[in-house]
Amino acid sequence: MAPGFVVVLERMLGLIDNKALFAAVELGVPDLLAKGPRSAREIAAVLDADADALDRLLRYLVCRDVFTVSPDGRYANNGASEVLTLNAPIPWRDWVLFFGSDWNGRIFDRLPQRIAEGAAACEAAFGVGFFEYINQRNSDAGRAFNGAMAAGARLQSLLFAETMDLSRYVRLCDVGGGTGEALTHLLSANPQIHGTVFDLPALGSDAATVLTSAGLINRAQFLGGDFFDAVPTGYDLYTMFAVIHDWDDDCCVRLLENIRDAMDPDGRIMVIEKVVPSGRGYDFSKASDMLMLVLGDGGRERTESEYEALFARAGLHVCRRVVLPSLFDVFELRV
Ligand SMILES: C[S@@+](CC[C@H](N)C(=O)[O-])C[C@H]1O[C@@H](n2cnc3c(N)ncnc32)[C@H](O)[C@@H]1O
């Protein structure tokens, strides 16, 4: 193991990666470099920025494997910075804008309070729950968060559609389906399916835009509501991509019971989540769990046995478990 102070320094300086990425995306550097390599002076001239500061920012990011630089000092995009452009097939820029934002920082500042007192961090920072904050109080936050979710959903649903055989299903409801990104991929890959995105009413107009521009308005619709009250009835497949992890056990059971009561008798629920593996090594699920600890009100990542206990409490059992190439799990559930 590296000396203790080196380990601590490295972990502590994670903030610099976060903020450097945020600055590059906020300034639009990846999109500018998509037009071709440029020196810091040339980029700064276009952005009306400080050339020396920009050069230092990009020198740092190059040493962190984001962007490249040629011997004559011209910066260019690489595989990492390309995914931060507006036109990337799966754009990760909203993740950077979400994660590096001041509002996310203010919620994370409440982590000690969350741990010491159990106070919900978003509530402590802004006086309201997370989804109310992003959808009703801060439109930039809503844009960044919902955009980040859409990018994740695009990736997961592409992998899901490639991996899972959905040929027996004809009506699909994507519960907590955000702006409909996942549904568009599932429907494009399965022409026999008609589908619904069910999410908070605030996401309705963005979802309508996504479904219309995918040319799916005749096979897809958005329904707004609160999934703790009820979910749309009569579907043979309900999917939930990264929804269960937002909530505590009692809320999850209520949500799963609502779906169980709404689905066709021989219907299925597919829950897509990153399971916390056994062992002490790093795993994305453990970082994501820190996110759940601060952003949600009771959200958490769970181990396999925790998921199984949750499903059993809702009167559901796992009839199949499939691991996607993203290493996220699909739990296929039935009554
Ligand atoms: C973590 S996001 C996942 C979004 C999407 N499934 C994905 O994979 O990107 C959770 C979703 O649940 C929705 N949501 C939160 N509370 C809800 C509620 N009470 N009823 C319906 N949807 C809700 C949010 O608006 C958000 O779109």
Side-chain angles (χ1 to χ4, degrees), residues 91-129:
W92 288 105
R93 62 191 304 281
D94 282 327
W95 273 102
V96 171
L97 294 176
F98 155 34
F99 238 76
S101 66
D102 65 333
W103 59 269
N104 187 43
R106 283 177 64 189
I107 298 175
F108 261 90
D109 286 344
R110 301 298 182 137
L111 181 58
Q113 200 176 338
R114 168 70 184 87
I115 292 165
E117 301 164 17
C122 187
E123 196 86 42
F126 297 117
V128 289

Coordinates of all heavy atoms in Angstrom, one line a residue, residues 91-129:
P91 N -24.1 11.4 -24.4 CA -23.4 12.5 -23.8 C -23.3 12.5 -22.3 O -24.4 12.5 -21.6 CB -24.3 13.7 -24.3 CG -25.6 13.1 -24.6 CD -25.5 11.7 -24.8
W92 N -22.1 12.6 -21.8 CA -21.9 12.5 -20.3 C -21.8 13.9 -19.8 O -21.5 14.1 -18.6 CB -20.7 11.7 -20.0 CG -21.0 10.2 -20.2 CD1 -20.5 9.5 -21.2 CD2 -21.8 9.3 -19.4 NE1 -21.0 8.2 -21.1 CE2 -21.8 8.1 -20.0 CE3 -22.6 9.5 -18.3 CZ2 -22.5 7.0 -19.6 CZ3 -23.3 8.4 -17.8 CH2 -23.3 7.2 -18.4
R93 N -21.9 15.0 -20.6 CA -21.7 16.3 -20.1 C -22.6 16.7 -19.0 O -22.3 17.4 -18.0 CB -21.7 17.3 -21.2 CG -23.0 17.5 -21.9 CD -22.9 18.3 -23.2 NE -22.4 19.6 -23.0 CZ -23.1 20.7 -22.5 NH1 -24.3 20.5 -22.2 NH2 -22.5 21.8 -22.4
D94 N -23.9 16.2 -19.0 CA -24.8 16.6 -18.0 C -24.4 15.9 -16.6 O -24.7 16.5 -15.6 CB -26.3 16.2 -18.3 CG -26.9 17.2 -19.3 OD1 -26.5 18.4 -19.2 OD2 -27.7 16.8 -20.2
W95 N -23.8 14.8 -16.7 CA -23.3 14.2 -15.4 C -22.2 15.1 -14.8 O -22.2 15.3 -13.6 CB -22.6 12.8 -15.7 CG -23.6 11.7 -15.6 CD1 -24.2 11.1 -16.7 CD2 -24.2 11.1 -14.4 NE1 -25.1 10.1 -16.2 CE2 -25.1 10.1 -14.9 CE3 -24.1 11.4 -13.1 CZ2 -25.9 9.4 -14.0 CZ3 -24.8 10.6 -12.2 CH2 -25.7 9.6 -12.6
V96 N -21.4 15.7 -15.7 CA -20.3 16.6 -15.2 C -20.9 17.9 -14.6 O -20.6 18.4 -13.6 CB -19.3 16.9 -16.3 CG1 -18.3 18.0 -15.9 CG2 -18.5 15.6 -16.6
L97 N -22.0 18.4 -15.4 CA -22.6 19.6 -14.9 C -23.4 19.4 -13.6 O -23.5 20.3 -12.8 CB -23.5 20.1 -16.0 CG -22.8 20.6 -17.3 CD1 -23.8 21.0 -18.4 CD2 -21.9 21.8 -17.0
F98 N -24.0 18.2 -13.5 CA -24.7 17.9 -12.2 C -23.7 17.7 -11.1 O -23.8 18.4 -10.1 CB -25.5 16.6 -12.5 CG -25.8 15.7 -11.4 CD1 -26.1 16.2 -10.1 CD2 -25.9 14.3 -11.6 CE1 -26.4 15.3 -9.0 CE2 -26.2 13.5 -10.5 CZ -26.5 14.0 -9.2
F99 N -22.7 16.9 -11.3 CA -21.8 16.5 -10.2 C -20.9 17.7 -9.8 O -20.5 17.8 -8.6 CB -20.9 15.3 -10.6 CG -21.1 14.2 -9.7 CD1 -22.3 13.5 -9.7 CD2 -20.2 14.0 -8.7 CE1 -22.5 12.5 -8.8 CE2 -20.5 13.0 -7.7 CZ -21.6 12.3 -7.8
G100 N -20.5 18.5 -10.7 CA -19.6 19.6 -10.4 C -20.3 20.9 -9.9 O -19.7 21.9 -9.6
S101 N -21.6 20.9 -10.0 CA -22.4 22.1 -9.7 C -22.3 22.6 -8.2 O -22.0 21.8 -7.3 CB -23.9 21.9 -10.0 OG -24.4 20.9 -9.1
D102 N -22.6 23.8 -8.0 CA -22.5 24.4 -6.7 C -23.7 23.8 -5.8 O -23.5 23.5 -4.7 CB -22.6 25.9 -6.7 CG -23.9 26.4 -7.2 OD1 -24.5 25.8 -8.0 OD2 -24.3 27.5 -6.8
W103 N -24.8 23.5 -6.5 CA -26.0 23.0 -5.7 C -25.7 21.6 -5.2 O -26.0 21.2 -4.1 CB -27.3 23.1 -6.5 CG -27.3 22.4 -7.8 CD1 -27.0 22.9 -9.0 CD2 -27.7 21.0 -8.0 NE1 -27.2 21.9 -10.0 CE2 -27.6 20.8 -9.4 CE3 -28.2 20.0 -7.2 CZ2 -27.9 19.6 -10.0 CZ3 -28.5 18.8 -7.7 CH2 -28.3 18.6 -9.1
N104 N -25.0 20.8 -6.1 CA -24.7 19.4 -5.6 C -23.6 19.5 -4.5 O -23.7 18.7 -3.5 CB -24.1 18.6 -6.8 CG -23.9 17.2 -6.5 OD1 -24.8 16.5 -5.8 ND2 -22.8 16.6 -6.9
G105 N -22.7 20.4 -4.6 CA -21.7 20.6 -3.6 C -22.4 21.0 -2.3 O -22.0 20.5 -1.2
R106 N -23.4 21.9 -2.4 CA -24.1 22.3 -1.1 C -24.8 21.1 -0.4 O -24.9 21.0 0.8 CB -25.0 23.4 -1.4 CG -24.3 24.8 -1.6 CD -25.2 25.9 -2.0 NE -26.1 26.2 -0.9 CZ -27.1 27.1 -1.1 NH1 -27.3 27.7 -2.2 NH2 -27.9 27.3 -0.1
I107 N -25.3 20.2 -1.3 CA -26.0 19.0 -0.7 C -24.9 18.1 0.0 O -25.0 17.7 1.1 CB -26.8 18.3 -1.7 CG1 -27.9 19.2 -2.3 CG2 -27.4 17.0 -1.1 CD1 -28.7 18.6 -3.4
F108 N -23.8 17.9 -0.8 CA -22.7 17.1 -0.2 C -22.1 17.7 1.0 O -21.6 16.9 1.9 CB -21.6 16.8 -1.3 CG -21.8 15.5 -2.0 CD1 -22.6 15.3 -3.1 CD2 -21.2 14.3 -1.4 CE1 -22.8 14.1 -3.7 CE2 -21.4 13.1 -2.0 CZ -22.2 13.0 -3.2
D109 N -22.1 19.0 1.2 CA -21.6 19.6 2.4 C -22.3 19.1 3.6 O -21.9 19.2 4.7 CB -21.7 21.2 2.3 CG -20.7 21.8 1.4 OD1 -19.7 21.1 1.0 OD2 -20.9 22.9 1.0
R110 N -23.5 18.6 3.4 CA -24.4 18.2 4.5 C -24.1 16.7 4.9 O -24.8 16.1 5.7 CB -25.8 18.3 4.2 CG -26.2 19.8 3.9 CD -26.0 20.7 5.1 NE -26.4 22.1 4.9 CZ -27.0 22.8 5.7 NH1 -27.3 22.3 6.9 NH2 -27.3 24.1 5.4
L111 N -23.1 16.1 4.3 CA -22.8 14.7 4.5 C -22.6 14.4 6.0 O -23.1 13.5 6.6 CB -21.7 14.2 3.7 CG -21.3 12.7 3.8 CD1 -22.4 11.7 3.5 CD2 -20.1 12.4 2.8
P112 N -21.7 15.2 6.7 CA -21.5 14.9 8.1 C -22.8 15.0 8.9 O -23.1 14.1 9.8 CB -20.6 16.1 8.6 CG -19.9 16.6 7.3 CD -20.9 16.4 6.2
Q113 N -23.7 16.0 8.6 CA -25.0 16.1 9.3 C -25.9 14.9 9.0 O -26.6 14.4 9.9 CB -25.6 17.4 8.8 CG -26.7 17.9 9.7 CD -27.2 19.3 9.1 OE1 -26.5 19.9 8.3 NE2 -28.4 19.6 9.5
R114 N -25.8 14.4 7.7 CA -26.6 13.3 7.3 C -26.2 12.1 8.2 O -27.0 11.3 8.6 CB -26.4 13.0 5.8 CG -26.9 11.6 5.3 CD -28.4 11.6 5.3 NE -28.9 10.3 4.9 CZ -29.1 9.3 5.8 NH1 -28.9 9.4 7.1 NH2 -29.6 8.1 5.3
I115 N -24.9 11.9 8.4 CA -24.4 10.8 9.1 C -24.6 10.9 10.6 O -25.1 10.0 11.3 CB -22.9 10.5 8.8 CG1 -22.8 10.1 7.3 CG2 -22.3 9.4 9.7 CD1 -21.4 10.1 6.7
A116 N -24.3 12.1 11.1 CA -24.5 12.3 12.6 C -25.9 12.3 13.1 O -26.2 11.7 14.1 CB -23.8 13.6 13.0
E117 N -26.8 13.0 12.3 CA -28.1 13.2 12.8 C -29.2 12.5 12.0 O -30.4 12.6 12.3 CB -28.4 14.8 12.7 CG -27.5 15.6 13.5 CD -27.6 17.1 13.2 OE1 -28.6 17.5 12.5 OE2 -26.6 17.8 13.5
G118 N -28.8 11.9 10.8 CA -29.8 11.3 10.0 C -30.6 12.2 9.2 O -31.6 11.8 8.6
A119 N -30.2 13.5 9.2 CA -31.1 14.5 8.5 C -30.9 14.4 7.0 O -29.8 14.2 6.5 CB -30.6 15.9 8.9
A120 N -32.0 14.4 6.2 CA -31.9 14.3 4.8 C -31.1 15.5 4.3 O -31.4 16.6 4.6 CB -33.3 14.3 4.1
A121 N -30.0 15.2 3.5 CA -29.1 16.3 3.1 C -29.7 17.4 2.3 O -29.4 18.6 2.5 CB -27.8 15.7 2.5
C122 N -30.5 17.0 1.3 CA -31.1 18.0 0.4 C -32.1 18.9 1.2 O -32.1 20.1 1.1 CB -31.8 17.4 -0.8 SG -32.3 18.6 -2.0
E123 N -32.8 18.2 2.0 CA -33.7 18.9 2.9 C -33.0 19.9 3.8 O -33.4 21.1 4.0 CB -34.4 17.9 3.8 CG -35.6 18.2 4.6 CD -36.9 18.0 3.8 OE1 -37.1 17.1 3.1 OE2 -37.7 18.9 4.0
A124 N -31.8 19.5 4.4 CA -31.1 20.4 5.2 C -30.5 21.5 4.4 O -30.4 22.7 4.9 CB -29.9 19.6 5.9
A125 N -30.1 21.3 3.2 CA -29.4 22.3 2.4 C -30.5 23.3 1.8 O -30.2 24.5 1.8 CB -28.6 21.7 1.3
F126 N -31.6 22.8 1.4 CA -32.5 23.7 0.6 C -33.9 23.7 1.2 O -34.8 24.3 0.6 CB -32.5 23.2 -0.9 CG -31.2 23.4 -1.6 CD1 -30.5 22.3 -2.1 CD2 -30.6 24.6 -1.7 CE1 -29.3 22.4 -2.7 CE2 -29.4 24.8 -2.3 CZ -28.7 23.7 -2.8
G127 N -34.2 22.9 2.2 CA -35.5 22.9 2.8 C -36.6 22.1 2.1 O -37.7 22.1 2.5
V128 N -36.2 21.4 1.0 CA -37.1 20.5 0.3 C -36.4 19.2 -0.1 O -35.2 19.1 -0.1 CB -37.7 21.1 -1.0 CG1 -38.7 22.3 -0.6 CG2 -36.6 21.6 -1.9
G129 N -37.2 18.2 -0.4 CA -36.6 16.9 -0.9 C -36.0 17.1 -2.2 O -36.2 18.1 -2.9

